[in-house]
Amino acid sequence: MVHYKLIYFNLRGRAELARLVLQHQEIVFEDFRFEREEWPKYKAGTPFGQVPVLEVDGKPLAQSNTIARYLARQHGLAGQNDWEQSQADMYVDCIHDLIGGTRPIIYETDKDKQKEMFQKFLQDVVNPHLQKVEQQLIKNGSGFLVGKSITWADLAYYSFFSPMMERLGEAILDSTPHLKKLVAHVGNIPQIKKYVETRPKTAL
Amino acid sequence: MINKQSASNLIILLSPRSKTPWRSGFNRLKGQKAGRSRHTIRILQTDLHCSNMPVYKLRYFNNPRRGRAELARLILHQAGVEFEDIRFPHSEWPAIKPSTPFGQVPVLEVDGQVLAQSNTIARYLARKYGLAGKNDWEQALADMYADNINDLLNAAVPPFMEKDPVKQKEMYEKFMAETIANHVVLIEKQLKKNNTGYLVGNDLTWADLAYYAYFSDFLEVKFGSAFLKDAPLLKALIDRVKALPNIKKWTEFRNSKYPEEN
């Protein structure tokens, strides 16, 4: 039995996708979380001064998407063939870009400016992307982003849009009913539902 | 040119000097006994675009000349794989944009099916052509290094976009002294630990190509090699990649055909 230790802040953040992959496949792992003040203690031990880091039998792997992809591939959530795996990679890269787009907004200290930045981000970046993804979902026809069954790509979209829906209301996905249905479907998967209900409640 | 890919397209026929040499040759392939006459070996190279070779079209802007498409180009050239290297002017973008999956380029068409996202494209090609790592763990390590480069590419955007030349100079100096210098120290440590001259395992992967593209093709060209003075292993790696015959051939051709504007 491989021993997994996932090391990150006590946040959802960049580790949540890996956690969702492990939870969905019901893989036992050590969900190691530390508070922000403790970061200097752990930073030097990471390969590139960043977290999350996944230790696989003690061997470190860095970079959030690499970690989640490795786990997805090891545990059957990556796609059924090379092409599907690449399709899934593509969607996760899109979410990675969206997460990157939220960074300047999160760090903005002026609350009014922050609100304005967020509205612009929703209008100029998120909504056009949602329309494209809706088209791809309709084209794929299975209800899932890739192939005929769930992949880590679906978990990535759930991970990004579910908290957003909680904050801003479910109506933000009303113009993309297929994506809205997918996010709801993932949220209702028993092991995901149970994990979300019991995970630490954190701002990010 | 015969390379690993086209080798699979070679058909070796043993044919007696008869009136129907090909039939005898095919009979030999089917396992029938050889005829008594002397045989000559003929090597046929099939059309490289026969059924087992996909048709690749890589689409990107014509400027930047390298940008987010260059890693895929380096992988394809290193692997000796033919592809259509499509570069379109920005004026054509409004017409092309709606046909892309997410309104972005680069995109890679593989026999008409479309893949988006630069690192996904690069990873797909690397895995297909033996440049991704020899097992799941090595593939993950290569992914990790490619993600590092993606972060560094993103980190270079704010100084790049700064319009005020004085502020831009300051931002680039900070970027080199902090972001780049810190990463160089850490990557030198990893190279020392791996101890093969490559980032992953004991052979070239797309991770090495990604580090070459960023540290040599971008930073060394822009800022000179001073930032590598305390990183002999990283310097050796990028020099090794630079000297690979297929990479050398491509970069020489590219630098004359598509010179960078800045």
Side-chain angles (χ1 to χ4, degrees):
Chain A
M1 250 302 277
V2 152
H3 179 80
Y4 293 129
K5 181 177 179 182
L6 183 62
I7 303 166
Y8 193 59
F9 298 104
N10 183 21
L11 297 170
R12 294 188 313 276
R14 299 278 192 172
E16 198 61 10
L17 182 53
R19 293 185 185 121
L20 288 169
V21 168
L22 289 161
Q23 294 288 352
H24 185 274
Q25 300 304 80
E26 297 177 294
I27 308 289
V28 169
F29 71 104
E30 195 185 337
D31 188 5
F32 187 85
R33 297 162 180 251
F34 55 86
E35 299 304 327
R36 208 165 268 283
E37 312 83 70
E38 299 177 275
W39 175 222
K41 198 163 77 182
Y42 296 108
K43 183 171 171 145
T46 65
F48 302 106
Q50 294 174 321
V51 279
V53 168
L54 177 74
E55 280 180 13
V56 182
D57 287 336
K59 290 185 298 179
L61 191 64
Q63 289 286 356
S64 55
N65 275 2
T66 288
I67 290 167
R69 180 182 307 103
Y70 176 75
L71 293 168
R73 285 185 190 228
Q74 293 298 301
H75 300 289
L77 262 186
Q80 301 299 320
N81 52 52
D82 288 351
W83 185 254
E84 283 193 7
Q85 289 190 0
S86 289
Q87 294 278 297
D89 286 351
M90 178 181 78
Y91 283 112
V92 177
D93 280 353
C94 288
I95 291 296
H96 189 82
D97 287 349
L98 289 181
I99 293 172
T102 63
R103 286 273 152 281
I105 303 168
I106 289 169
Y107 292 132
E108 177 57 53
T109 47
D110 176 340
K111 289 293 171 200
D112 287 330
K113 183 146 194 260
Q114 191 185 53
K115 201 167 173 201
E116 197 183 304
M117 285 169 83
F118 188 63
Q119 285 309 314
K120 193 169 193 291
F121 176 66
L122 278 181
Q123 190 180 300
D124 295 351
V125 178
V126 179
N127 281 326
H129 180 72
L130 284 174
Q131 299 307 317
K132 291 280 197 178
V133 173
E134 183 75 359
Q135 278 170 38
Q136 297 287 334
L137 267 170
I138 292 168
K139 205 162 107 186
N140 193 40
S142 68
F144 299 104
L145 285 164
V146 177
K148 295 185 169 46
S149 52
I150 194 168
T151 64
W152 67 306
D154 303 301
L155 299 181
Y157 274 75
Y158 167 79
S159 186
F160 186 81
F161 284 102
S162 176
M164 195 176 276
M165 283 165 75
E166 260 181 61
R167 264 188 67 202
L168 302 177
E170 292 199 359
I172 59 164
L173 289 190
D174 275 352
S175 68
T176 55
H178 291 80
L179 181 60
K180 188 171 182 178
K181 192 169 171 204
L182 174 61
V183 170
H185 171 83
V186 174
N188 285 323
I189 294 170
Q191 54 272 37
I192 298 294
K193 196 174 169 116
K194 179 162 172 245
Y195 166 62
V196 169
E197 281 167 2
T198 55
R199 72 183 168 190
K201 302 278 178 277
T202 55
L204 290 171
Chain B
M1 189 176 102
I2 295 175
N3 55 31
K4 247 201 273 192
Q5 181 61 30
S6 60
S8 65
N9 298 334
L10 295 180
I11 298 172
I12 299 174
L13 297 178
L14 290 174
S15 61
R17 283 183 295 172
S18 72
K19 278 190 188 149
T20 53
W22 308 131
R23 187 180 301 153
S24 309
F26 279 115
N27 288 342
R28 281 275 302 185
L29 281 175
K30 287 191 282 182
Q32 293 172 5
K33 266 169 84 164
R36 270 181 246 139
S37 51
R38 271 178 294 167
H39 296 266
T40 48
I41 296 174
R42 296 182 194 220
I43 296 177
L44 290 181
Q45 183 173 10
T46 61
D47 183 347
L48 275 174
H49 290 293
C50 72
S51 57
N52 60 348
M53 177 71 135
V55 173
Y56 293 117
K57 297 187 193 202
L58 183 67
R59 275 182 219 282
Y60 195 57
F61 301 112
N62 65 355
N63 179 32
R65 313 303 172 107
R66 299 189 305 263
R68 298 279 187 163
E70 193 62 15
L71 182 53
R73 293 183 189 124
L74 289 169
I75 291 164
L76 286 161
H77 282 286
Q78 173 59 21
V81 173
E82 280 191 23
F83 69 105
E84 207 179 325
D85 189 356
I86 299 168
R87 298 154 184 262
F88 57 86
H90 282 257
S91 55
E92 285 179 23
W93 178 227
I96 294 173
K97 184 169 172 160
S99 70
T100 64
F102 304 106
Q104 293 173 322
V105 278
V107 290
L108 178 74
E109 271 177 47
V110 183
D111 287 336
Q113 287 190 294
V114 183
L115 199 59
Q117 289 285 358
S118 55
N119 265 12
T120 288
I121 291 167
R123 181 181 306 103
Y124 174 79
L125 294 168
R127 283 183 191 230
K128 210 162 158 92
Y129 295 108
L131 278 173
K134 295 192 169 59
N135 52 51
D136 290 351
W137 184 251
E138 283 194 6
Q139 290 191 358
L141 291 177
D143 286 351
M144 177 183 79
Y145 287 115
D147 282 352
N148 285 347
I149 293 299
N150 195 49
D151 287 350
L152 291 175
L153 278 167
N154 289 340
V157 170
F160 182 76
M161 301 286 274
E162 177 56 53
K163 299 279 183 273
D164 175 350
V166 170
K167 186 147 193 261
Q168 186 185 54
K169 185 162 185 273
E170 202 178 292
M171 286 172 85
Y172 268 131
E173 277 169 6
K174 187 172 193 280
F175 170 73
M176 289 301 286
E178 292 175 15
T179 309
I180 294 299
N182 290 344
H183 192 77
V184 168
V185 167
L186 294 171
I187 208 71
E188 190 74 4
K189 217 161 101 179
Q190 294 294 328
L191 280 166
K192 189 164 182 197
K193 206 162 109 187
N194 194 38
N195 199 28
T196 63
Y198 298 102
L199 282 166
V200 178
N202 57 6
D203 207 348
L204 184 80
T205 63
W206 67 301
D208 304 301
L209 298 179
Y211 269 73
Y212 157 76
Y214 191 87
F215 282 95
S216 180
D217 238 2
F218 168 43
L219 292 185
E220 223 181 357
V221 166
K222 198 172 171 67
F223 298 108
S225 310
F227 73 96
L228 289 168
K229 66 172 169 42
D230 294 323
L233 297 175
L234 179 58
K235 178 100 178 58
L237 172 63
I238 64 185
D239 286 346
R240 184 173 300 116
V241 173
K242 218 187 273 189
L244 290 168
N246 287 356
I247 298 297
K248 189 164 189 283
K249 186 164 162 225
W250 162 240
T251 56
E252 280 169 3
F253 170 79
R254 170 199 78 182
N255 293 347
S256 68
K257 180 156 188 194
Y258 309 112
E260 281 293 321
E261 284 180 346
N262 54 3

